[in-house]
Amino acid sequence: MIKMNRVLKYVSALGLVASLSGCLTGGTLRSARTLSPGVGEWGLGWTATRYDAGDITMKTTDSKGVSQTVVQPNTSGAFVVPNVLPEVNYHLGVADNVEIGGRASLGALTFEADVKYRFLHTGGLHLAIDPTIGYAPFIFVQIVQATLPVLVTYEFSKSFSVLASAKGGYWSLSQLGSGSSSNSLSGTLSGSGPSFGGAIGVEFRGKTFALRPFVDFTHIVESYKSTFSDTQNGYTSTADVSQGLTLTTFGIAVSWFSGLEMEKLEKMDDKLDRIEQKIDEQNKNSDVKRAESDKQPKQ
């Protein structure tokens, strides 16, 4: 039987790297409204994330085929990591109800790209989906995550809205390069699992800017498979490790809009087109009335 305390120490190292998966989930809550074609939105976001890890469940199998399952209670408690450097994001309206964009967070080593599609707009209610792909490299590991948020926005007025979202996704952690030793963390570390959660916030919107404070809740289910070798005692074991990780992200985002002049010109063109159409209809009606009047016999 393997020495469990040695493996548990190894698992604690896994947990440290596992917390990196939170970098991908603490994004900026966006509105379900979409930008008009040609209008861009620049944004900065500041966040702080609380990490709360659950118990570690570990099933180990040594080289003789003997298995053992151990549940290690999490006694480390929760901790908060502020993102000191602001994330930068940009989005552009490319068609009616469609916008594309992405964000970069150097503090969290996270890069994301997304496409938002608004599928419902009635009154003040907006509903949209925002498929997102994220990537986060860190020293010797990398994380790739795909997420599908559903966004809900209700506008109480042009300047105030309530925002909410629900999301599900899947993430995968793997090593960068190739490990040269079975005892090397970079050579044995890998993991994947689903994620789900939601967010809520409000939006204060002006003509050229928007301010969005929000809170995001995300639960990640982590599953790892690792190999542990002890050359001194002459055994090799494999470990299947699973753990839940809950993240609560508090943030505030500030955005500025560009290309509004073109939007105004397009609206003016639409108004002029409608005015010309009304004038043409009025002239046409006048011509019809005049023709009917000419056909009537003169008294």
Side-chain angles (χ1 to χ4, degrees):
M1 187 65 62
I2 64 174
K3 295 181 179 180
M4 298 304 299
N5 60 336
R6 294 290 303 277
V7 180
L8 289 175
K9 290 180 180 179
Y10 180 77
V11 170
S12 65
L14 292 179
L16 177 62
V17 180
S19 65
L20 293 173
S21 58
C23 299
L24 286 176
T25 60
T28 300
L29 175 62
R30 293 188 51 73
S31 171
R33 292 178 56 176
T34 48
L35 300 169
S36 299
V39 175
E41 179 182 354
W42 292 92
L44 296 175
W46 292 266
T47 61
T49 300
R50 172 189 168 96
Y51 296 84
D52 191 358
D55 297 340
I56 300 172
T57 300
M58 178 177 56
K59 179 181 179 181
T60 59
T61 305
D62 63 19
S63 55
K64 297 181 180 181
V66 179
S67 299
Q68 181 177 358
T69 299
V70 175
V71 177
Q72 173 74 3
N74 176 35
T75 59
S76 60
F79 60 95
V80 178
V81 178
N83 189 3
V84 180
L85 297 176
E87 70 171 44
V88 180
N89 58 77
Y90 177 74
H91 292 81
L92 176 68
V94 294
D96 290 338
N97 301 316
V98 179
E99 69 178 57
I100 60 174
R103 72 181 182 104
S105 177
L106 298 180
L109 295 176
T110 300
F111 305 91
E112 285 187 352
D114 66 286
V115 178
K116 183 166 67 178
Y117 170 67
R118 182 177 62 182
F119 59 88
L120 177 65
H121 178 205
T122 174
L125 179 64
H126 304 258
L127 297 178
I129 57 173
D130 191 21
T132 303
I133 184 75
Y135 177 72
F138 183 76
I139 305 178
F140 48 77
V141 295
Q142 59 186 351
I143 304 173
V144 177
Q145 175 168 292
T147 310
L148 181 61
V150 178
L151 308 177
V152 182
T153 295
Y154 190 85
E155 295 179 274
F156 289 91
S157 67
K158 291 183 178 180
S159 58
F160 179 75
S161 303
V162 173
L163 316 177
S165 73
K167 60 184 176 180
Y170 194 85
W171 64 273
S172 176
L173 182 148
S174 60
Q175 68 181 76
L176 282 169
S178 58
S180 58
S181 170
S182 60
N183 287 320
S184 170
L185 182 61
S186 65
T188 59
L189 182 60
S190 64
S192 61
S195 65
F196 53 90
I200 189 168
V202 295
E203 180 184 66
F204 303 96
R205 193 181 187 101
K207 292 183 178 180
T208 59
F209 73 94
L211 179 67
R212 305 183 188 100
F214 68 93
V215 59
D216 179 288
F217 304 94
T218 302
H219 184 75
I220 298 174
V221 180
E222 303 169 311
S223 298
Y224 296 93
K225 183 180 291 291
S226 60
T227 301
F228 183 82
S229 297
D230 190 332
T231 56
Q232 182 178 357
N233 295 285
Y235 68 79
T236 301
S237 66
T238 60
D240 294 316
V241 186
S242 62
Q243 182 181 29
L245 182 64
T246 301
L247 299 93
T248 305
T249 299
F250 300 90
I252 185 167
V254 182
S255 297
W256 296 268
F257 302 105
S258 61
L260 296 176
E261 297 81 5
M262 184 61 66
E263 183 183 26
K264 291 180 180 179
L265 289 175
E266 291 178 355
K267 289 182 178 180
M268 291 178 62
D269 288 340
D270 292 338
K271 289 181 179 179
L272 290 174
D273 290 339
R274 289 195 295 268
I275 292 173
E276 290 178 356
Q277 185 177 0
K278 289 182 178 179
I279 293 175
D280 291 339
E281 290 177 355
Q282 291 175 355
N283 291 336
K284 184 177 180 181
N285 292 333
S286 298
D287 292 340
V288 171
K289 290 180 179 180
R290 188 179 300 108
E292 292 177 351
S293 176
D294 293 339
K295 291 179 179 179
Q296 293 179 359
K298 295 182 180 180
Q299 298 295 332

